[in-house]
Amino acid sequence: MTYFAAYSYDGDRTLVYDRSGDPMDFCTRIETVKTIKDIDTDTLYLEIAVRQVDGSDKYVLCTATDILERPLHSLIDYGLLVSKVHEYVVTVTEILFEGAATAPCEHRYSKLGFRKVDGGCRFFGAEATINKQSCKYLYYDSLKPMGTFESWRDGILPLIFGNPKPILALAMGVTAPIVTMLEMAGIIDETAIFALIGGSSRSKTTMLKLSCSAWGKPSLKGALTSLSCSEAYFFSRLSEKNAFPHFVDEATAAKCSWDFSTAIYNIAMSVEAGKCFPDGTPRPKRTWSGSVIFTSEQSLLSRAG
């Protein structure tokens, strides 16, 4: 069912028109600027520009399913303000999908690290070449290079030379591909786990950011993650990595529902715990390979039951 005859933009606002052609202020300016197809999961994403009170746009990446089923919940935390929520929820979906029909489409990948391509093995990071075409990681901005390898190396080495702690942190950060290559050679079959343990203000996060700096933006809006999420979400993101390190800041922030003894075991074994669908049939087990690096004020083992 269509709830409006047309819509248009008036500065920072989105207007809708009823059947008589009269305009009505509807919501914050929202516009689908791009659609993205994940080649690994066949999921369609909409990149949406949400106008902020200062006149700038905040760009939000949402799945098409989320926009269909819960458009307000997907965007309201990013500044969406709707005049008549209950009457016009569907209108948000219609505006965004109508824009998606004419927006440019881009193909990206969501799995990082080694994968078999054209009979060989290639490493997928922030960017990769697929079928002779350049392709980006789904969350490209989190891994987007901020300079060249040479500038990173020349800036880092003088700072860490002769200092064993940052040297160790940097070494831990580059272990993931080595671990996976050893696994591919049949030498090991476990994921490496490192933990930087210490009290507050002991440079744990600084060392983790140093480890992370070779791979992407060293922040929670970049390549760092936290445990302030469910175990299911954590293992879902971890399973997207094969020889790409997973950086976790402040494991002590984990929700109390975490079962650390099982989680540590599953991480090390490189496979999630077996689960079933509601009908009792087993779910496919997700796997990963490489390394996981934590910071924590307490030993992870002390939180294991």
Side-chain angles (χ1 to χ4, degrees):
M1 178 178 180
T2 300
Y3 286 78
F4 64 95
Y7 74 94
S8 67
Y9 299 116
D10 182 16
D12 295 337
R13 305 296 297 174
T14 302
L15 306 181
V16 295
Y17 297 83
D18 58 25
R19 300 301 175 185
S20 63
D22 295 325
M24 178 179 65
D25 181 75
F26 174 62
C27 70
T28 309
R29 182 181 180 122
I30 51 173
E31 184 177 3
T32 301
V33 297
K34 183 191 299 180
T35 60
I36 297 173
K37 190 67 173 292
D38 181 353
I39 62 174
D40 288 321
T41 64
D42 205 33
T43 302
L44 178 66
Y45 290 82
L46 275 60
E47 185 173 304
I48 302 162
V50 182
R51 186 62 51 90
Q52 306 296 295
V53 293
D54 63 0
S56 65
D57 286 328
K58 180 171 287 188
Y59 294 91
V60 187
L61 196 62
C62 298
T63 66
T65 300
D66 283 342
I67 296 303
L68 280 170
E69 297 179 354
R70 40 192 174 273
L72 296 185
H73 288 88
S74 300
L75 298 175
I76 204 163
D77 288 339
Y78 298 95
L80 173 64
L81 297 174
V82 181
S83 301
K84 296 185 178 181
V85 175
H86 298 294
E87 293 182 45
Y88 294 101
V89 170
V90 176
T91 304
V92 173
T93 300
E94 291 186 329
I95 290 172
L96 295 175
F97 273 95
E98 197 165 301
T102 56
C105 182
E106 187 176 328
H107 289 81
R108 295 191 181 187
Y109 53 87
S110 57
K111 295 186 181 297
L112 293 166
F114 288 126
R115 67 169 74 193
K116 293 180 180 179
V117 179
D118 299 330
C121 192
R122 275 194 244 157
F123 194 89
F124 280 45
E127 297 181 72
T129 301
I130 304 174
N131 296 327
K132 299 182 179 180
Q133 292 187 337
S134 178
C135 193
K136 294 179 179 179
Y137 174 53
L138 179 61
Y139 304 105
Y140 175 73
D141 287 346
S142 68
L143 301 182
K144 181 170 62 176
M146 305 303 290
T148 64
F149 169 76
E150 289 74 20
S151 64
W152 172 82
R153 178 196 61 198
D154 295 343
I156 288 289
L157 290 183
L159 297 177
I160 69 172
F161 185 77
N163 194 331
K165 288 185 178 179
I167 290 175
L168 177 61
L170 195 60
M172 289 190 298
V174 298
T175 55
I178 300 171
V179 170
T180 299
M181 286 189 285
L182 291 173
E183 182 180 319
M184 292 165 67
I187 299 173
I188 62 174
D189 57 5
E190 292 90 14
T191 292
I193 302 177
F194 302 96
L196 302 171
I197 308 297
S200 180
S201 302
R202 298 296 298 273
S203 301
K204 301 185 303 298
T205 298
T206 301
M207 294 300 101
L208 186 70
K209 288 181 176 180
L210 176 60
S211 296
C212 179
S213 65
W215 299 97
K217 187 184 299 182
S219 72
L220 289 175
K221 292 185 178 180
L224 295 186
T225 62
S226 74
L227 294 189
S228 57
C229 61
S230 68
E231 288 187 52
Y233 180 81
F234 172 82
F235 284 111
S236 174
R237 294 304 303 270
L238 184 59
S239 68
E240 296 170 352
K241 298 179 177 179
N242 181 39
F244 199 97
H246 198 70
F247 302 96
V248 183
D249 194 23
E250 283 302 343
T252 47
K255 294 183 176 181
C256 60
S257 59
W258 271 71
D259 180 352
F260 269 87
S261 58
T262 302
I264 293 170
Y265 177 81
N266 289 338
I267 292 171
M269 292 297 102
S270 307
V271 61
E272 69 174 338
K275 297 179 181 178
C276 290
F277 290 107
D279 63 1
T281 57
R283 292 177 182 269
K285 291 184 179 181
R286 292 177 292 200
T287 62
W288 50 86
S289 175
S291 62
V292 180
I293 306 173
F294 293 93
T295 66
S296 179
E297 293 188 4
Q298 302 173 349
S299 168
L300 299 181
L301 296 177
S302 71
R303 301 194 62 182

